[in-house]
Amino acid sequence: MLICRFAPSPNGFLHLGHAYSALMNARLARAHGGLFLLRIEDIDRERSKPQFEQAAREDLQWLGLDWPRPERRQSGFFGAYRALLDGLLARGLAYPCFCTRGAIAAKAAGARDPDGAPLYPGSCRDMTPDVRAQKIAAGEKFAVRLDMARALAEIERPLTYREFFEGDTPQVMTARAALWGDAVIGRRDVPASYHLACVHDDAAQGVTDVVRGADLEAATGLHVLLQALLGLPTPDYRHHRLVLDEDGKKLAKSKGSKTLHALREGGVTAADARAMLGERMGTQF
Ligand code: GLU
């Protein structure tokens, strides 16, 4: 059975781009007699707020969506994520990184990962076990990074996945994980990162089709590598176009793009919102 999920981070109100993503998910599930699930990606304990989670639920219901199972909240699974991290550390495929953001930016010399963040120069990769142990004993905070070169060497073969974009015919894509360098898989504050929690949960929820915005397409290479390392299945991917604002820029919570919450409060109906998306995207829901 086809299983897909909409996975908002409750750090702001949802906007029309989220509505498009949720509707694309639900439409796919409906077309295949499958399941549409909701996952709350709240590993960021500082930025996640209950009022945004509640508003997301209400926005989705307002759009006419429902999900047959209780939503999964990532903050309830830190133990499971920690076990994955410990496994990768024990296999020598990950290592603790004590660097501050400033130190990384200074050493990255302008190199960037696909998210535009300074590419990690590998400073902590070859730290001796003694120095590492001393730092940990002294209570120094650390993130956990994937050792990309070792991870790729362990897998050996080129990794691929099936990509449908918004259509019905899959293309076989090469997973380009190396672009991320030694990516953070465990943050300083919590034993997970978006990438690790996402691949763990997609597998735990039995997700067969990941429907999400094109802004996450580059992350897929890293996700496919993590799945291979962790022995998890690789779902099919369906990255969709992003909804742009009047200036052709990506909608963003941080830019105060018109939220679904504000549209609702302003008396816009779900039918109006669907029509707006139909007009902008040429996709009828
Ligand atoms: N939580 C992510 C976001 O709100 C989505 C992650 C995903 O669909 O894989 O952008």
Side-chain angles (χ1 to χ4, degrees):
M1 184 175 44
L2 182 143
I3 302 182
C4 58
R5 84 303 191 274
F6 177 61
S9 306
N11 54 17
F13 290 118
L14 303 187
H15 51 59
L16 274 177
H18 294 104
Y20 187 68
S21 203
L23 288 167
M24 290 294 276
N25 265 286
R27 189 169 74 167
L28 183 74
R30 209 177 319 113
H32 292 263
L35 270 185
F36 167 72
L37 304 178
L38 176 61
R39 178 162 88 218
I40 305 293
E41 299 212 324
D42 61 346
I43 62 167
D44 188 326
R45 302 314 299 140
E46 248 167 57
R47 294 174 65 215
S48 299
K49 301 280 181 254
Q51 67 266 32
F52 293 132
E53 195 179 312
Q54 184 53 26
R57 259 187 237 114
E58 288 168 10
D59 290 340
L60 295 174
Q61 281 160 351
W62 170 77
L63 278 170
L65 303 180
D66 52 28
W67 42 100
R69 295 188 187 161
E71 60 268 17
R72 179 184 180 96
R73 301 173 76 241
Q74 292 192 319
S75 55
F77 292 90
F78 283 129
Y81 308 141
R82 184 181 292 282
L84 293 185
L85 282 181
D86 287 347
L88 290 169
L89 285 162
R91 289 160 67 191
L93 298 175
Y95 60 88
C97 166
F98 302 88
C99 297
T100 60
R101 263 170 215 250
I104 295 169
K107 275 207 183 169
R112 307 219 160 242
D113 74 13
D115 271 351
L119 197 64
Y120 185 63
S123 325
C124 290
R125 193 188 302 128
D126 299 318
M127 192 177 276
T128 63
D130 280 0
V131 175
R132 236 173 227 164
Q134 271 165 23
K135 283 179 173 287
I136 293 172
E140 269 193 54
K141 291 226 177 260
F142 61 89
V144 176
R145 289 185 180 273
L146 189 66
D147 186 324
M148 183 58 73
R150 284 199 184 184
L152 292 172
E154 166 123 345
I155 298 300
E156 286 174 343
R157 63 190 191 279
L159 291 171
T160 59
Y161 62 95
R162 297 207 308 167
E163 172 66 78
F164 285 78
F165 296 111
E166 294 188 23
D168 297 325
T169 316
Q171 293 178 40
V172 175
M173 311 291 274
T174 302
R176 302 203 301 149
L179 298 176
W180 293 91
D182 289 359
V184 172
I185 51 173
R187 296 162 43 137
R188 279 169 168 247
D189 52 344
V190 292
S193 69
Y194 157 62
H195 305 297
L196 188 81
C198 178
V199 299
H200 173 274
D201 284 16
D202 283 340
Q205 293 187 286
V207 170
T208 59
D209 291 71
V210 172
V211 181
R212 63 185 176 195
D215 52 343
L216 291 169
E217 201 185 332
T220 305
L222 177 55
H223 293 188
V224 172
L225 173 60
L226 288 171
Q227 286 151 4
L229 293 171
L230 297 168
L232 303 174
T234 292
D236 284 337
Y237 288 88
R238 296 170 183 269
H239 291 95
H240 57 72
R241 291 166 298 150
L242 299 179
V243 181
L244 304 177
D245 66 15
E246 287 75 17
D247 307 328
K249 302 247 171 59
K250 182 181 148 184
L251 299 180
K253 289 173 184 154
S254 53
K255 286 192 299 188
S257 296
K258 201 109 189 157
T259 64
L260 300 183
H261 185 74
L263 293 175
R264 274 200 279 134
E265 304 259 290
V268 172
T269 66
D272 297 336
R274 285 168 187 254
M276 280 159 87
L277 283 174
E279 207 171 290
R280 284 203 207 178
M281 306 300 284
T283 312
Q284 304 308 324
F285 293 106

